[in-house]
Amino acid sequence: MKKYSLVLFFCLIFLSAHLSAQNVTVNNNLTFGTVFPGIPKTISKTTAGLAAEFYVSGTAGNEVTIDFALPTYMNLGASNMQLIFRETDCAIDTSATPDQSSPEFNNLDPWHTLTYRIGSNGLYIWLGGIIVPGLTQTEGSYSSNIVITVTYTGN
Amino acid sequence: MNSEHKMPSIWKILVLLLTMSFLMVASVSAQDVAVGQATATVQTPLTVTAIAALAFGTIFQGVPVSVAETDASAGIFTMTGQAGSGISLFLQLPEYMSTASGDDRMIISFSTTDCAIDTTANADPTTFGSGWTAQNPFNLPSGVIIGTASTQTSLFLGGQVLPSVDQTAGAYSADIILTVAYNGT
């Protein structure tokens, strides 16, 4: 009976260890604020409070892949406004003391899969971008979704 | 006898737990998805309208005529947009007025004080409200905004024509182009 209890115990340990796998949350949206027709606006990935911030929690040392589904337009009803993400608009920090102003991994391409290991303090992802309002852009509030998918590689 | 009957039950429980653990491992560690947003608020687009032409009226050969920017005959442009937003202005001014057939020209000139910019709702050059007076139309001031109270700013333009002594009789005209753009301030 003791033998079976021991096996049961290890099963539960095994189970609980893997229940702490990665989880991604949105800490901050990419916020352009007020813009003028005809004047492009850039938000840097290192600008706290305006750049998008995502946080990946999970077991330190676990490797994850990060994929974005990025919009090319923001929308207001039938009106569109061009939204550009350059190949250097992403940054990641997996250190114990994440620093958005000087991220551990800078100038990353959000259009390609990013592969990193979760750090002791999780993994922070920042994303900037550019909007290009037209000269006769319809006034109002525009928005679009940024979908991030984080996948545990098993490594 | 009893313990022999219990054994298969314990094995079943263990198999069940192991299966559950693998299933949970598979499901938990697969992937997670979050949806953030990009947001922006676009301000009111600019509109520029030429309300009134700079009108010199009837003039005589060899007699120059001036119209002040505060005169009822001054040229009037109105600009509407986002209240309080900074704008940059640029005037393209002609050097001559021409007859419709183009067979004669007449000099038109603008001094460095021939322009006024009113940021109130007023669009009448004779009743200037508030803003910039006696401005150089070739170098309009920075810091101009769309009026906060009326979401409008007006530009008044004066000038001078210098008809020659043998100027061909008839109507003369020329284009005055005002370009306005938000400057992001």
Side-chain angles (χ1 to χ4, degrees):
Chain A
M1 190 60 193
K2 276 184 178 176
K3 188 168 73 179
Y4 294 119
S5 297
L6 200 62
V7 174
L8 186 63
F9 174 74
F10 280 116
C11 278
L12 290 171
I13 293 288
F14 181 69
L15 197 63
S16 62
H18 285 81
L19 278 173
S20 62
Q22 88 292 340
N23 186 26
V24 60
T25 53
V26 181
N27 283 353
N28 198 63
N29 287 322
L30 177 55
T31 308
F32 289 94
T34 301
V35 298
F36 295 96
I39 301 181
K41 189 170 188 178
T42 302
I43 296 296
S44 167
K45 57 192 171 293
T46 57
T47 305
L50 298 181
E53 180 179 284
F54 303 93
Y55 175 66
V56 180
S57 61
T59 307
N62 278 1
E63 186 183 72
V64 292
T65 60
I66 299 150
D67 290 281
F68 286 103
L70 298 170
T72 52
Y73 289 95
M74 298 173 77
N75 311 105
L76 169 62
S79 297
N80 299 322
M81 179 163 57
Q82 192 178 8
L83 176 57
I84 297 171
F85 295 97
R86 296 165 297 182
E87 61 273 18
T88 57
D89 270 340
C90 186
I92 287 176
D93 200 326
T94 65
S95 67
T97 54
D99 182 358
Q100 185 173 2
S101 62
S102 180
E104 183 182 15
F105 305 104
N106 204 351
N107 299 324
L108 306 175
D109 185 355
W111 292 101
H112 289 91
T113 299
L114 304 167
T115 305
Y116 289 90
R117 292 189 183 279
I118 297 173
S120 61
N121 198 18
L123 184 152
Y124 283 85
I125 304 162
W126 296 289
L127 182 69
I130 304 172
I131 50 168
V132 187
L135 278 170
T136 58
Q137 192 75 48
T138 303
E139 69 178 299
S141 297
Y142 289 71
S143 65
S144 59
N145 288 337
I146 297 170
V147 182
I148 182 172
T149 303
V150 178
T151 307
Y152 174 51
T153 65
N155 297 324
Chain B
M1 189 67 182
N2 283 342
S3 63
E4 282 177 6
H5 278 253
K6 283 180 182 174
M7 289 286 277
S9 300
I10 291 168
W11 275 111
K12 282 178 186 173
I13 291 167
L14 282 173
V15 168
L16 183 64
L17 279 169
L18 278 168
T19 307
M20 280 174 61
S21 69
F22 280 114
L23 281 173
M24 291 188 78
V25 166
S27 62
V28 168
S29 65
Q31 63 179 203
D32 195 19
V33 177
V35 180
Q37 279 206 317
T39 62
T41 302
V42 176
Q43 302 283 41
T44 311
L46 279 171
T47 304
V48 185
T49 308
I51 299 293
L54 171 56
F56 293 96
T58 302
I59 59 177
F60 297 94
Q61 293 166 323
V63 182
V65 173
S66 293
V67 171
E69 75 276 16
T70 55
D71 192 280
S73 298
I76 304 170
F77 294 89
T78 60
M79 299 151 271
T80 59
Q82 186 68 39
S85 298
I87 52 175
S88 297
L89 301 91
F90 178 72
L91 274 169
Q92 285 177 262
L93 300 170
E95 295 178 339
Y96 298 95
M97 298 169 75
S98 304
T99 58
S101 63
D103 58 2
D104 202 0
R105 305 189 296 187
M106 179 167 54
I107 295 172
I108 181 171
S109 68
F110 300 91
S111 77
T112 55
T113 58
D114 268 342
C115 188
I117 297 168
D118 192 335
T119 55
T120 68
N122 172 54
D124 182 349
T126 64
T127 57
F128 187 83
S130 176
W132 291 261
T133 56
Q135 294 296 305
N136 184 354
F138 294 101
N139 184 22
L140 294 169
S142 59
V144 178
I145 59 168
I146 294 292
T148 51
S150 60
T151 69
Q152 176 179 300
T153 291
S154 299
L155 182 146
F156 309 123
L157 181 69
Q160 184 181 37
V161 283
L162 303 159
S164 62
V165 291
D166 60 347
Q167 193 76 49
T168 303
Y172 289 72
S173 67
D175 289 338
I176 296 170
I177 302 170
L178 174 62
T179 303
V180 184
Y182 282 121
N183 55 30
T185 60

